[in-house]
Amino acid sequence: AEGARSGPAAAARTLAAALAAAQPAGAVRPFLDEGPSLLALLRAALPSLRREPLATFARAVLEAAHAEPGVAASGAAHAGAAEPLSAKERQVLRLLAEGLSNPEIARELIVSVNTVKTHLKRIYQKLGVSTRREAREAARRLAVR
């Protein structure tokens, strides 16, 4: 009976802890890279997630998996992209999601346009996107603030 209790309950606790650790950085990719079995576990655990930021993040992971079914199924397709966004990259992504141009982002953050471009290049790599539109969609899924 002890083992039966610890199986699913322990898995749910571990999943919640992983979500809590990944949520502040918006690290969706590690969940996607684990493949369909983890995504199925996440889907099953979603109703029991009591803390709304975790539930919101879990939904973002599932939406990302839906948007990239090949990545979710292939496991480590983008394993190198699991690095979380830095605080400055999150600021740049938030401003990009608001529709600001590179010069506008540079003025807002008091940096050069080249610095903004460098941040965007790293953001694109980390999120596994290649266009501003895809980056905006990822920012919305990740609820970047």
Short mmCIF file of all heavy atoms in Angstrom, two decimals, residues 27-70:
data_model
loop_
_atom_site.label_atom_id
_atom_site.label_comp_id
_atom_site.label_asym_id
_atom_site.label_seq_id
_atom_site.Cartn_x
_atom_site.Cartn_y
_atom_site.Cartn_z
N ALA A 27 10.70 28.19 -19.08
CA ALA A 27 11.44 27.09 -19.69
C ALA A 27 10.49 25.97 -20.12
O ALA A 27 10.32 24.97 -19.42
CB ALA A 27 12.51 26.56 -18.74
N VAL A 28 9.88 26.13 -21.27
CA VAL A 28 8.94 25.16 -21.82
C VAL A 28 9.68 23.99 -22.46
O VAL A 28 9.26 22.83 -22.36
CB VAL A 28 8.03 25.85 -22.86
CG1 VAL A 28 7.20 24.84 -23.63
CG2 VAL A 28 7.13 26.87 -22.19
N ARG A 29 10.78 24.28 -23.12
CA ARG A 29 11.49 23.29 -23.93
C ARG A 29 11.84 22.00 -23.18
O ARG A 29 11.67 20.91 -23.74
CB ARG A 29 12.74 23.93 -24.53
CG ARG A 29 13.55 23.03 -25.42
CD ARG A 29 12.83 22.57 -26.67
NE ARG A 29 12.34 23.70 -27.42
CZ ARG A 29 11.45 23.61 -28.38
NH1 ARG A 29 10.96 22.45 -28.72
NH2 ARG A 29 11.04 24.69 -29.00
N PRO A 30 12.30 22.06 -21.92
CA PRO A 30 12.63 20.79 -21.25
C PRO A 30 11.43 19.83 -21.18
O PRO A 30 11.61 18.62 -21.30
CB PRO A 30 13.08 21.20 -19.85
CG PRO A 30 13.56 22.60 -20.02
CD PRO A 30 12.69 23.20 -21.09
N PHE A 31 10.24 20.36 -21.01
CA PHE A 31 9.05 19.52 -20.96
C PHE A 31 8.76 18.93 -22.34
O PHE A 31 8.41 17.76 -22.46
CB PHE A 31 7.85 20.31 -20.44
CG PHE A 31 8.00 20.76 -19.02
CD1 PHE A 31 8.51 22.02 -18.73
CD2 PHE A 31 7.68 19.92 -17.96
CE1 PHE A 31 8.69 22.43 -17.43
CE2 PHE A 31 7.86 20.32 -16.66
CZ PHE A 31 8.36 21.58 -16.38
N LEU A 32 8.91 19.75 -23.39
CA LEU A 32 8.67 19.27 -24.74
C LEU A 32 9.67 18.19 -25.12
O LEU A 32 9.32 17.20 -25.76
CB LEU A 32 8.76 20.43 -25.74
CG LEU A 32 7.76 21.56 -25.57
CD1 LEU A 32 7.98 22.62 -26.64
CD2 LEU A 32 6.33 21.06 -25.58
N ASP A 33 10.92 18.39 -24.70
CA ASP A 33 11.97 17.45 -25.06
C ASP A 33 11.79 16.07 -24.42
O ASP A 33 12.34 15.09 -24.90
CB ASP A 33 13.35 18.01 -24.70
CG ASP A 33 13.75 19.16 -25.60
OD1 ASP A 33 13.12 19.34 -26.66
OD2 ASP A 33 14.69 19.90 -25.25
N GLU A 34 11.04 16.00 -23.34
CA GLU A 34 10.80 14.70 -22.70
C GLU A 34 9.82 13.84 -23.48
O GLU A 34 9.73 12.65 -23.25
CB GLU A 34 10.32 14.89 -21.26
CG GLU A 34 11.41 15.35 -20.33
CD GLU A 34 12.58 14.39 -20.27
OE1 GLU A 34 12.36 13.16 -20.21
OE2 GLU A 34 13.73 14.86 -20.30
N GLY A 35 9.06 14.45 -24.35
CA GLY A 35 8.21 13.69 -25.25
C GLY A 35 6.80 13.44 -24.76
O GLY A 35 6.35 13.98 -23.75
N PRO A 36 6.08 12.60 -25.50
CA PRO A 36 4.65 12.40 -25.29
C PRO A 36 4.27 11.86 -23.91
O PRO A 36 3.23 12.21 -23.38
CB PRO A 36 4.26 11.39 -26.37
CG PRO A 36 5.35 11.44 -27.38
CD PRO A 36 6.58 11.88 -26.66
N SER A 37 5.11 11.01 -23.31
CA SER A 37 4.71 10.44 -22.02
C SER A 37 4.64 11.51 -20.94
O SER A 37 3.71 11.51 -20.13
CB SER A 37 5.65 9.31 -21.60
OG SER A 37 6.99 9.79 -21.51
N LEU A 38 5.59 12.44 -20.93
CA LEU A 38 5.54 13.51 -19.94
C LEU A 38 4.36 14.44 -20.23
O LEU A 38 3.68 14.90 -19.31
CB LEU A 38 6.83 14.31 -19.90
CG LEU A 38 6.80 15.45 -18.88
CD1 LEU A 38 6.83 14.89 -17.45
CD2 LEU A 38 7.94 16.40 -19.08
N LEU A 39 4.11 14.70 -21.50
CA LEU A 39 2.99 15.57 -21.85
C LEU A 39 1.66 14.94 -21.45
O LEU A 39 0.76 15.64 -20.98
CB LEU A 39 3.03 15.89 -23.35
CG LEU A 39 4.26 16.69 -23.79
CD1 LEU A 39 4.30 16.79 -25.31
CD2 LEU A 39 4.30 18.06 -23.14
N ALA A 40 1.55 13.62 -21.57
CA ALA A 40 0.34 12.93 -21.13
C ALA A 40 0.18 13.05 -19.61
O ALA A 40 -0.92 13.29 -19.10
CB ALA A 40 0.38 11.47 -21.55
N LEU A 41 1.28 12.90 -18.89
CA LEU A 41 1.25 13.06 -17.44
C LEU A 41 0.84 14.49 -17.07
O LEU A 41 0.02 14.70 -16.17
CB LEU A 41 2.62 12.74 -16.85
CG LEU A 41 2.78 12.90 -15.34
CD1 LEU A 41 1.85 11.96 -14.58
CD2 LEU A 41 4.23 12.66 -14.93
N LEU A 42 1.37 15.44 -17.79
CA LEU A 42 1.03 16.85 -17.54
C LEU A 42 -0.45 17.11 -17.79
O LEU A 42 -1.12 17.77 -16.99
CB LEU A 42 1.90 17.75 -18.42
CG LEU A 42 1.78 19.25 -18.23
CD1 LEU A 42 2.08 19.63 -16.79
CD2 LEU A 42 2.75 19.96 -19.17
N ARG A 43 -0.97 16.57 -18.89
CA ARG A 43 -2.39 16.71 -19.20
C ARG A 43 -3.25 16.13 -18.08
O ARG A 43 -4.24 16.72 -17.66
CB ARG A 43 -2.71 15.99 -20.52
CG ARG A 43 -3.22 16.90 -21.59
CD ARG A 43 -3.58 16.14 -22.86
NE ARG A 43 -2.66 16.45 -23.95
CZ ARG A 43 -1.55 15.79 -24.25
NH1 ARG A 43 -1.20 14.73 -23.59
NH2 ARG A 43 -0.79 16.16 -25.25
N ALA A 44 -2.85 14.96 -17.58
CA ALA A 44 -3.61 14.30 -16.52
C ALA A 44 -3.53 15.07 -15.21
O ALA A 44 -4.48 15.10 -14.44
CB ALA A 44 -3.10 12.88 -16.32
N ALA A 45 -2.38 15.70 -14.95
CA ALA A 45 -2.17 16.41 -13.69
C ALA A 45 -2.77 17.81 -13.69
O ALA A 45 -2.98 18.40 -12.62
CB ALA A 45 -0.68 16.49 -13.38
N LEU A 46 -3.04 18.37 -14.86
CA LEU A 46 -3.51 19.76 -14.96
C LEU A 46 -4.69 20.07 -14.04
O LEU A 46 -4.66 21.07 -13.33
CB LEU A 46 -3.82 20.10 -16.41
CG LEU A 46 -4.16 21.56 -16.71
CD1 LEU A 46 -3.01 22.48 -16.30
CD2 LEU A 46 -4.45 21.73 -18.18
N PRO A 47 -5.74 19.25 -13.99
CA PRO A 47 -6.87 19.58 -13.12
C PRO A 47 -6.51 19.65 -11.63
O PRO A 47 -7.17 20.34 -10.86
CB PRO A 47 -7.88 18.46 -13.38
CG PRO A 47 -7.50 17.88 -14.69
CD PRO A 47 -6.02 18.06 -14.80
N SER A 48 -5.46 18.95 -11.23
CA SER A 48 -5.10 18.93 -9.81
C SER A 48 -4.11 20.03 -9.42
O SER A 48 -3.79 20.17 -8.24
CB SER A 48 -4.53 17.56 -9.43
OG SER A 48 -3.29 17.36 -10.08
N LEU A 49 -3.63 20.81 -10.39
CA LEU A 49 -2.71 21.90 -10.07
C LEU A 49 -3.50 23.03 -9.42
O LEU A 49 -4.35 23.65 -10.06
CB LEU A 49 -1.97 22.38 -11.32
CG LEU A 49 -0.99 21.39 -11.92
CD1 LEU A 49 -0.44 21.93 -13.24
CD2 LEU A 49 0.13 21.09 -10.95
N ARG A 50 -3.22 23.28 -8.16
CA ARG A 50 -4.02 24.24 -7.39
C ARG A 50 -3.52 25.67 -7.52
O ARG A 50 -4.30 26.60 -7.39
CB ARG A 50 -4.05 23.82 -5.92
CG ARG A 50 -4.86 22.56 -5.71
CD ARG A 50 -4.89 22.15 -4.25
NE ARG A 50 -5.71 20.97 -4.06
CZ ARG A 50 -5.28 19.74 -4.20
NH1 ARG A 50 -4.04 19.51 -4.55
NH2 ARG A 50 -6.10 18.71 -4.01
N ARG A 51 -2.23 25.84 -7.74
CA ARG A 51 -1.68 27.19 -7.85
C ARG A 51 -1.81 27.66 -9.29
O ARG A 51 -1.30 27.04 -10.21
CB ARG A 51 -0.22 27.21 -7.39
CG ARG A 51 -0.13 26.95 -5.90
CD ARG A 51 1.25 26.97 -5.30
NE ARG A 51 2.29 27.63 -6.05
CZ ARG A 51 3.52 27.16 -6.20
NH1 ARG A 51 3.85 26.01 -5.65
NH2 ARG A 51 4.41 27.83 -6.89
N GLU A 52 -2.50 28.78 -9.49
CA GLU A 52 -2.81 29.24 -10.83
C GLU A 52 -1.58 29.53 -11.69
O GLU A 52 -1.58 29.17 -12.87
CB GLU A 52 -3.73 30.48 -10.79
CG GLU A 52 -4.24 30.87 -12.16
CD GLU A 52 -4.85 29.72 -12.98
OE1 GLU A 52 -5.56 28.87 -12.42
OE2 GLU A 52 -4.58 29.66 -14.19
N PRO A 53 -0.49 30.10 -11.18
CA PRO A 53 0.65 30.30 -12.07
C PRO A 53 1.16 28.97 -12.64
O PRO A 53 1.55 28.90 -13.80
CB PRO A 53 1.71 30.95 -11.19
CG PRO A 53 0.96 31.59 -10.08
CD PRO A 53 -0.26 30.73 -9.88
N LEU A 54 1.12 27.92 -11.84
CA LEU A 54 1.58 26.61 -12.33
C LEU A 54 0.61 26.06 -13.36
O LEU A 54 1.03 25.50 -14.38
CB LEU A 54 1.73 25.61 -11.18
CG LEU A 54 2.88 25.85 -10.22
CD1 LEU A 54 3.00 24.69 -9.24
CD2 LEU A 54 4.19 26.05 -10.96
N ALA A 55 -0.67 26.19 -13.12
CA ALA A 55 -1.67 25.71 -14.07
C ALA A 55 -1.57 26.47 -15.39
O ALA A 55 -1.63 25.88 -16.47
CB ALA A 55 -3.07 25.83 -13.48
N THR A 56 -1.36 27.77 -15.31
CA THR A 56 -1.20 28.59 -16.51
C THR A 56 0.04 28.16 -17.28
O THR A 56 0.01 28.01 -18.50
CB THR A 56 -1.10 30.08 -16.14
OG1 THR A 56 -2.31 30.46 -15.48
CG2 THR A 56 -0.89 30.95 -17.36
N PHE A 57 1.13 27.93 -16.56
CA PHE A 57 2.37 27.49 -17.21
C PHE A 57 2.20 26.10 -17.82
O PHE A 57 2.65 25.85 -18.94
CB PHE A 57 3.53 27.52 -16.22
CG PHE A 57 4.85 27.14 -16.83
CD1 PHE A 57 5.42 27.91 -17.83
CD2 PHE A 57 5.51 26.00 -16.43
CE1 PHE A 57 6.63 27.56 -18.41
CE2 PHE A 57 6.72 25.63 -16.99
CZ PHE A 57 7.28 26.42 -17.99
N ALA A 58 1.53 25.21 -17.11
CA ALA A 58 1.28 23.86 -17.64
C ALA A 58 0.48 23.95 -18.93
O ALA A 58 0.77 23.23 -19.91
CB ALA A 58 0.56 23.01 -16.60
N ARG A 59 -0.53 24.82 -18.96
CA ARG A 59 -1.31 25.00 -20.19
C ARG A 59 -0.43 25.54 -21.32
O ARG A 59 -0.56 25.12 -22.48
CB ARG A 59 -2.50 25.92 -19.94
CG ARG A 59 -3.64 25.23 -19.20
CD ARG A 59 -4.90 26.07 -19.16
NE ARG A 59 -4.80 27.21 -18.28
CZ ARG A 59 -5.03 27.19 -16.96
NH1 ARG A 59 -5.39 26.06 -16.39
NH2 ARG A 59 -4.90 28.27 -16.24
N ALA A 60 0.51 26.45 -20.99
CA ALA A 60 1.44 26.99 -22.00
C ALA A 60 2.32 25.88 -22.57
O ALA A 60 2.58 25.84 -23.77
CB ALA A 60 2.29 28.10 -21.39
N VAL A 61 2.77 24.97 -21.71
CA VAL A 61 3.59 23.84 -22.17
C VAL A 61 2.76 22.98 -23.12
O VAL A 61 3.24 22.59 -24.21
CB VAL A 61 4.11 22.99 -20.99
CG1 VAL A 61 4.74 21.70 -21.48
CG2 VAL A 61 5.09 23.79 -20.15
N LEU A 62 1.54 22.68 -22.75
CA LEU A 62 0.69 21.85 -23.60
C LEU A 62 0.36 22.54 -24.92
O LEU A 62 0.32 21.90 -25.98
CB LEU A 62 -0.59 21.45 -22.85
CG LEU A 62 -0.35 20.50 -21.68
CD1 LEU A 62 -1.63 20.34 -20.85
CD2 LEU A 62 0.17 19.16 -22.15
N GLU A 63 0.14 23.86 -24.88
CA GLU A 63 -0.10 24.60 -26.11
C GLU A 63 1.13 24.57 -27.01
O GLU A 63 1.03 24.43 -28.23
CB GLU A 63 -0.49 26.05 -25.80
CG GLU A 63 -1.88 26.18 -25.23
CD GLU A 63 -2.18 27.60 -24.77
OE1 GLU A 63 -1.52 28.55 -25.27
OE2 GLU A 63 -3.07 27.77 -23.93
N ALA A 64 2.31 24.73 -26.41
CA ALA A 64 3.55 24.67 -27.18
C ALA A 64 3.72 23.30 -27.81
O ALA A 64 4.15 23.18 -28.96
CB ALA A 64 4.74 25.01 -26.30
N ALA A 65 3.36 22.26 -27.09
CA ALA A 65 3.46 20.90 -27.63
C ALA A 65 2.49 20.72 -28.79
O ALA A 65 2.83 20.09 -29.80
CB ALA A 65 3.16 19.87 -26.54
N HIS A 66 1.31 21.31 -28.67
CA HIS A 66 0.33 21.23 -29.74
C HIS A 66 0.83 21.97 -30.98
O HIS A 66 0.64 21.52 -32.10
CB HIS A 66 -1.01 21.79 -29.28
CG HIS A 66 -2.07 21.73 -30.32
ND1 HIS A 66 -2.64 20.55 -30.73
CD2 HIS A 66 -2.65 22.70 -31.06
CE1 HIS A 66 -3.53 20.80 -31.68
NE2 HIS A 66 -3.55 22.09 -31.89
N ALA A 67 1.49 23.12 -30.76
CA ALA A 67 2.01 23.92 -31.87
C ALA A 67 3.20 23.26 -32.55
O ALA A 67 3.47 23.51 -33.71
CB ALA A 67 2.40 25.31 -31.36
N GLU A 68 3.94 22.42 -31.81
CA GLU A 68 5.13 21.77 -32.34
C GLU A 68 5.06 20.26 -32.11
O GLU A 68 5.88 19.71 -31.39
CB GLU A 68 6.38 22.31 -31.66
CG GLU A 68 6.58 23.79 -31.79
CD GLU A 68 7.84 24.23 -31.09
OE1 GLU A 68 8.89 23.63 -31.33
OE2 GLU A 68 7.75 25.16 -30.30
N PRO A 69 4.09 19.57 -32.70
CA PRO A 69 3.94 18.15 -32.41
C PRO A 69 5.17 17.33 -32.74
O PRO A 69 5.48 16.37 -32.06
CB PRO A 69 2.74 17.72 -33.25
CG PRO A 69 2.58 18.78 -34.29
CD PRO A 69 3.15 20.03 -33.69
N GLY A 70 5.93 17.68 -33.77
CA GLY A 70 7.13 16.92 -34.12
C GLY A 70 8.18 17.00 -33.03
O GLY A 70 8.86 16.02 -32.73
#
